[in-house]
Amino acid sequence: MNRFHERAVNALLTVLFWLVIGTTAGLILFIAARGIKGMSWEFVSAMPRDRGLAGGVLPAIVGTLVLTSGTALVTVPLGVLAGVYLTEYARPGPAVRLVNLAIVNLAGVPSIVYGLFGLAVFVLSLRLGPSLAAASLTLGVMTLPVVVTATREALAAVPVAYREAAYALGASRRQVILTHVLPYAKSGIVGGSLLGLSRAMGETAPILVTGVAFWLPRLPTGPASRFMALPYHLYIIATQVPGMPPARIWATALTLLGLVMALNFAAAGLRRYGKGG
Amino acid sequence: MDTGKIEIASLSCAFGSRQVLHDITLTLAGRCVTAIIGPSGSGKSTLLRCLNRMTDLVPDARVSGKIILDGTDILRREQDVVQLRQKVGMVFQKPNPFPRSVYDNVAYGPRIRGLRRRRELDRVVEEALRGAALWEEVRDRLHAPALSLSGGQQQRLCIARCLAVRPQVLLMDEPCSALDPAATAKIEDLITGLRRELTVVLVTHNLQQAARVSDHTVFLLDGELVEAGETATIFTRARDPRTDAYVTGRFG
């Protein structure tokens, strides 16, 4: 009976394993097979022409990369500092519990709500207008819970024995954190942040109302500039441009997928090989 | 001249509502090895951790009483724990070198105190490694990861890491419990040698070890001091019947 039970569980887990792998691989292959036909050097390196029917998607690629960098600039310093404070400094109590609750809830807020928040606060109240800055701030706030959580988990994973060793050698709390805990947790923090950023990279709703443009066939000029971005570009050409060749739509999807996956692989690599750096 | 003598007066310690040490009064002689023995849960490690205020790291720990080192009470509020821990080093049960090179491990203490000059650092590192009887084994791989050393070498590296900040007192919390007999023997030799320079306080479960390396022995039971005295006396002519029962292996 027990043996049968164990076999059944094993079989179920194997099926689930292949289901997950199969779905992921299937999705990637599906998009790659269709996208590869529309892919060319011109597609990733030229300005779009004729409402995207010809030319390339360079401004959308650059827009997405710059937007993601801007998001990182906002969210990583804030999130890491918050995570360090909560793990290393804050005394456990009602205040910390409240902050934890807030972080969990922030992670659950729908992305369009972040978009509207960004519109109200960054675009209108702070008068940034629809711009790279406003969109980066919006995505940055959205990614904050991921970075805070990744930081806290990475810090909590630093073995107590190492902290004690450093304290016992007469290190102050600041020194233990700076020279010791953070370097040890670095790969976990960076890896977790990259995962959060790759999520932000593919978001459409929050940038929709905070600065993205469909048609802006030039590269963004600064934080105040509006910008093109791959997810929104994809949405428009897939739904709003009559006569758009499917190969161009799939090639756009493939480009976005490639960027997101590059970030994810970087994150996975760091988490796996960077331990204890 | 500091003697490394430690006078403990009415020391009590509680974690939350759990009282771990009850009113301990005791003098630990300078430049000697004192072994603290007692069954599990008798408060040996806690007593040790009061001596360098590692108890500060436990949020609900309450420590009262006095611990006088060099004429000052290290439990007083204004005590600079960073300075204290430079004087009072600690070696833990499991070897815990940092995941860095051998050199960086030993240089950690001097570096956080601002020593940057390479030659000076090299000298301090070599001296500390020699002091921990590890220099000959690692001189060719100072920049190899510390975690590539054997368990016994890692523990001696941890001792070297303490010695590099030139402490007066070295606290050792069952330093050999994770080591094989050969590595244990090396550490014991080392402890015997260190006694000339500093005060060693050694918590151990291993009664033979206490008998072999210590000058004085302290016997704790349920957080109370039962007996303290010269090791030879404690092991052969203990005054308290409980001490006698413990050291002859009748309980614990």
Side-chain angles (χ1 to χ4, degrees):
Chain A
M1 182 60 209
N2 236 342
R3 228 193 149 86
F4 171 76
H5 191 117
E6 193 164 314
R7 273 210 209 145
V9 170
N10 255 331
L12 182 69
L13 288 177
T14 312
V15 169
L16 287 176
F17 171 78
W18 285 111
L19 207 65
V20 171
I21 299 285
T23 314
T24 313
L27 191 83
I28 293 171
L29 289 176
F30 183 85
I31 293 174
R34 279 163 177 72
I36 206 83
K37 277 176 267 167
M39 195 56 87
S40 64
W41 175 243
E42 192 203 3
F43 188 76
V44 294
S45 67
M47 295 293 165
R49 294 192 307 275
D50 194 13
R51 288 180 306 152
L53 285 166
V57 292
L58 181 66
I61 295 177
V62 172
T64 288
L65 290 177
V66 173
L67 178 66
T68 308
S69 312
T71 305
L73 229 52
V74 173
T75 199
V76 172
L78 268 180
V80 171
L81 285 177
V84 168
Y85 177 77
L86 286 170
T87 318
E88 305 288 331
Y89 287 94
R91 285 183 165 270
V96 169
R97 276 205 297 280
L98 198 67
V99 173
N100 283 338
L101 197 65
I103 290 171
V104 171
N105 279 298
L106 269 182
V109 172
S111 58
I112 184 66
V113 176
Y114 278 108
L116 291 175
F117 170 79
L119 175 66
V121 175
F122 302 126
V123 176
L124 300 175
S125 298
L126 296 179
R127 296 169 195 250
L128 291 173
S131 61
L132 257 174
S136 296
L137 284 164
T138 308
L139 285 179
V141 173
M142 190 191 84
T143 313
L144 212 47
V146 182
V147 179
V148 173
T149 307
T151 303
R152 297 181 70 176
E153 278 172 6
L155 292 177
V158 177
V160 178
Y162 294 157
R163 288 172 195 268
E164 282 191 331
Y167 279 118
L169 285 167
S172 64
R173 175 138 55 170
R174 188 178 56 82
Q175 283 166 332
V176 172
I177 292 169
L178 284 183
T179 67
H180 199 76
V181 171
L182 278 178
Y184 190 90
K186 182 178 61 191
S187 56
I189 294 174
V190 176
S193 303
L194 285 182
L195 282 181
L197 288 173
S198 83
R199 190 86 234 164
M201 185 183 250
E203 279 294 345
T204 316
I207 57 175
L208 192 64
V209 287
T210 53
V212 79
F214 166 57
W215 192 248
L216 205 67
R218 55 182 147 73
L219 300 184
T221 50
S225 137
R226 298 193 68 162
F227 57 96
M228 291 179 72
L230 283 168
Y232 183 65
H233 190 71
L234 183 58
Y235 164 67
I236 296 290
I237 64 174
T239 59
Q240 312 288 315
V241 184
M244 178 64 66
R248 290 187 72 79
I249 300 175
W250 290 113
T252 309
L254 182 61
T255 310
L256 178 59
L257 189 67
L259 290 181
V260 169
M261 276 178 29
L263 263 192
N264 283 346
F265 278 125
L270 273 172
R271 285 197 149 181
R272 182 156 175 182
Y273 298 108
K275 268 280 170 292
Chain B
M1 183 59 200
D2 45 53
T3 56
K5 186 169 88 171
I6 304 170
E7 289 167 88
I8 302 169
S10 310
L11 178 70
S12 292
C13 176
F15 298 115
S17 58
R18 197 165 55 89
Q19 184 86 19
V20 182
L21 292 177
H22 302 270
D23 194 27
I24 305 242
T25 298
L26 173 69
T27 299
L28 303 172
R31 310 267 156 90
C32 278
V33 179
T34 302
I36 303 179
I37 59 171
S40 299
S42 55
K44 305 186 294 294
S45 292
T46 304
L47 174 57
L48 203 65
R49 281 160 181 262
C50 287
L51 300 179
N52 66 345
R53 298 261 302 255
M54 286 298 271
T55 43
D56 287 15
L57 301 180
V58 184
D60 61 350
R62 277 178 301 115
V63 180
S64 63
K66 279 185 175 162
I67 298 177
I68 315 275
L69 172 66
D70 283 348
T72 56
D73 178 11
I74 61 167
L75 291 182
R76 73 194 196 288
R77 198 178 288 275
E78 318 82 73
Q79 172 68 44
D80 178 349
V81 292
V82 168
Q83 257 181 32
L84 170 66
R85 289 174 189 156
Q86 172 169 11
K87 282 197 224 166
V88 184
M90 185 165 204
V91 175
F92 296 81
Q93 199 165 350
K94 272 215 204 126
N96 57 355
F98 301 132
R100 307 179 182 186
S101 71
V102 170
Y103 186 98
D104 287 343
N105 264 278
V106 183
Y108 184 84
R111 273 185 179 143
I112 58 174
R113 293 192 171 73
L115 184 59
R116 284 276 173 271
R117 282 197 310 279
R118 188 74 198 190
R119 284 170 92 191
E120 185 83 355
L121 265 180
D122 286 349
R123 201 178 54 73
V124 170
V125 167
E126 179 178 340
E127 207 170 276
L129 285 168
R130 282 188 192 281
L134 190 58
W135 174 252
E136 296 303 330
E137 288 160 66
V138 299
R139 59 186 303 170
D140 300 323
R141 41 180 181 148
L142 288 176
H143 297 284
L147 296 172
S148 68
L149 302 180
S150 74
Q153 289 174 326
Q154 287 187 18
Q155 194 61 300
R156 276 180 284 146
L157 178 65
C158 292
I159 295 172
R161 189 170 62 181
C162 289
L163 296 181
V165 296
R166 302 206 175 86
Q168 298 167 26
V169 180
L170 189 59
L171 309 176
M172 305 181 101
D173 191 355
E174 299 187 43
C176 302
S177 63
L179 304 182
D180 64 51
T184 300
K186 280 192 179 164
I187 303 261
E188 289 182 4
D189 283 349
L190 184 53
I191 294 173
T192 317
L194 286 174
R195 146 175 50 195
R196 278 190 294 272
E197 333 239 321
L198 36 78
T199 305
V200 178
V201 187
L202 171 74
V203 163
T204 180
H205 260 125
N206 180 337
L207 294 174
Q208 285 80 33
Q209 182 172 69
R212 276 193 301 268
V213 303
S214 71
D215 305 295
H216 301 274
T217 295
V218 173
F219 176 50
L220 292 187
L221 186 60
D222 296 330
E224 298 194 30
L225 174 68
V226 175
E227 192 166 349
E230 301 228 344
T231 299
T233 314
I234 294 283
F235 275 86
T236 54
R237 300 184 303 277
R239 270 176 291 125
D240 194 295
R242 290 171 294 174
T243 314
D244 191 51
Y246 184 73
V247 298
T248 53
R250 272 177 277 154
F251 81 99

